[in-house]
Amino acid sequence: MKKDVTIKEVAQRAGVSIATVSRAMNDSGPVSSEARQAILKVVSSSGFRLNGIGRQLKTARSHTIGVLVPSLKNPIFADAVTGIEHAAEQSGYRVLLASSRYDTNKEVSAVETFLINRVDGLILTVADEKNSQALQLLGTTKSPFVLMFNPCNQTGYSSVSIDNRLAAFELVSALINRGHRRIAMIVGKLSDSDRSVERSAGYEEALRKNGIKPVGVIEVGFENPDPGTQIAELNRGLRSPTAYFCSTDMLAISTIRALVQSGKKIPDDVSVVGFDGITIGECLIPSLATAVQPAEEMGVWAARHLVARIDKGESVSNLVLPYRIRQGESWGRLTANHL
């Protein structure tokens, strides 16, 4: 069976953006004659059709919300989806759920699928809000959407998040106050997450403010993280880390496992802190110190705000919710001295 050509492939072949293809096919905005000719040439040769992408502009309502999250393995996103489903149900909406697995191509594909199914609006978390092709596509279709977890950049998109940079700064500062001077970071791939970028910036800022140099930054994938080899390399140095700041709780759990397997005791030998505040972190021995994101509250607000935009034409809004620091056992006592 011949594979359908996607809007992304049409854009690549024509040498234009996804947004330009959408404008040309929907006649929804200005397109240069050169770009239009290039697009029509590709469309003609490939047999591409918009597969209903323009049809979501019809007045008929589906009372369905599309939800796109990076992963279904990380409980932080499951908590957010729980909030979305609860608020959507209260408003008479159904939810369609998809996962991008931190792949920007899958983000575009998921958005196309949502539009084909004529969702009334979307809630999504993308890899990089500033350079997202999925958001470019949504911008041309005029479909209302809300970003969730991505940093609130006041770019004209509705969004709900926390101050990732400040939370990371506070966590690393707490490690420094506990006497740590050799603090490494385990961070999810920076190109896959603008949250990782913000948390990394908070880590660097805390060290810089206290005149401390990083001893190592380990960048790993999100879906199947295994930092054991890199951690072993850091531990072989004369000044091995006495603390690890991890950009997610899932990475912190993987880090603790690798450290324990290498013979380290947590927090007697090494301190570890995470980020997200997933419930399982409280059940660990030692319990995980972390920044707690109000994920379910984010989901509730995102759904209610999206429904208000769909039903009442409410304006774009950005909300930064408060986080809290959970005083877990994994970062050790305040009197620790690791100079």
Side-chain angles (χ1 to χ4, degrees):
M1 182 180 292
K2 184 178 179 181
K3 180 183 177 183
D4 289 337
V5 178
T6 68
I7 191 171
K8 181 179 178 66
E9 291 171 325
V10 171
Q12 290 174 338
R13 295 182 190 180
V16 299
S17 69
I18 290 174
T20 300
V21 175
S22 182
R23 286 198 300 270
M25 299 302 289
N26 287 314
D27 196 22
S28 59
V31 179
S32 70
S33 59
E34 293 84 358
R36 190 179 298 276
Q37 288 176 4
I39 292 167
L40 291 177
K41 183 177 180 180
V42 173
V43 168
S44 176
S45 63
S46 66
F48 172 79
R49 294 179 299 170
L50 268 185
N51 295 329
I53 285 181
R55 292 197 296 271
Q56 88 283 355
L57 299 176
K58 290 184 177 180
T59 56
R61 296 275 299 279
S62 65
H63 285 86
T64 303
I65 293 172
V67 177
L68 175 64
V69 294
S71 174
L72 297 176
K73 293 181 179 180
N74 190 335
I76 194 70
F77 298 117
D79 290 345
V81 171
T82 297
I84 292 170
E85 289 179 329
H86 177 69
E89 183 180 351
Q90 288 182 328
S91 300
Y93 281 78
R94 297 174 300 152
V95 171
L96 290 180
L97 179 63
S99 166
S100 67
R101 287 179 283 179
Y102 294 94
D103 185 330
T104 55
N105 291 325
K106 292 185 184 299
E107 290 177 359
V108 175
S109 177
V111 168
E112 287 181 327
T113 300
F114 284 142
L115 296 179
I116 288 168
N117 284 278
R118 297 178 55 246
V119 298
D120 293 327
L122 294 91
I123 298 171
L124 62 166
T125 304
V126 296
D128 180 6
E129 172 262 320
K130 292 181 180 179
N131 301 293
S132 172
Q133 292 183 319
L135 296 189
Q136 290 176 20
L137 174 58
L138 281 174
T140 66
T141 63
K142 310 300 181 184
S143 299
F145 64 90
V146 180
L147 286 177
M148 183 174 61
F149 292 108
N150 292 105
C152 294
N153 291 315
Q154 306 290 333
T155 53
Y157 305 143
S158 287
S159 59
V160 57
S161 187
I162 66 166
D163 191 329
N164 286 274
R165 182 168 183 157
L166 182 61
F169 176 87
E170 188 172 344
L171 282 168
V172 177
S173 296
L175 288 172
I176 294 170
N177 290 337
R178 280 165 167 73
H180 292 283
R181 296 297 180 270
R182 303 195 300 278
I183 304 171
M185 182 176 186
I186 311 292
V187 61
K189 196 173 180 181
L190 297 174
S191 61
D192 289 350
S193 170
D194 50 16
R195 286 81 66 205
S196 288
V197 173
E198 288 292 300
R199 294 168 195 176
S200 180
Y203 160 78
E204 293 172 355
E205 184 180 355
L207 296 185
R208 185 169 57 251
K209 184 177 180 180
N210 289 275
I212 301 172
K213 293 182 179 181
V215 297
V217 176
I218 298 173
E219 192 175 343
V220 299
F222 284 98
E223 288 292 85
N224 297 291
D226 184 9
T229 301
Q230 297 98 317
I231 288 175
E233 291 176 359
L234 286 179
N235 286 338
R236 281 196 289 268
L238 295 177
R239 291 177 58 80
S240 61
T242 63
Y244 285 85
F245 166 55
C246 304
S247 67
T248 73
D249 285 351
M250 297 300 288
L251 290 178
I253 292 170
S254 296
T255 298
I256 289 174
R257 180 176 183 271
L259 289 167
V260 170
Q261 286 180 331
S262 70
K264 300 288 186 180
K265 294 181 179 179
I266 314 296
D268 295 345
D269 298 326
V270 186
S271 295
V272 178
V273 299
F275 198 113
D276 278 340
I278 62 176
T279 303
I280 192 65
E282 295 181 285
C283 302
L284 299 178
I285 299 176
S287 59
L288 184 62
T290 186
V292 180
Q293 296 198 77
E296 188 168 345
E297 186 180 347
M298 281 189 199
V300 168
W301 185 89
R304 288 176 177 171
H305 175 65
L306 181 60
V307 169
R309 290 192 61 193
I310 296 168
D311 291 346
K312 303 175 183 178
E314 185 169 305
S315 300
V316 166
S317 181
N318 301 105
L319 177 65
V320 179
L321 288 171
Y323 62 86
R324 66 180 176 87
I325 302 299
R326 190 164 70 204
Q327 302 284 334
E329 300 161 340
S330 64
W331 63 8
R333 298 180 180 178
L334 189 60
T335 55
N337 183 17
H338 299 281
L339 298 176

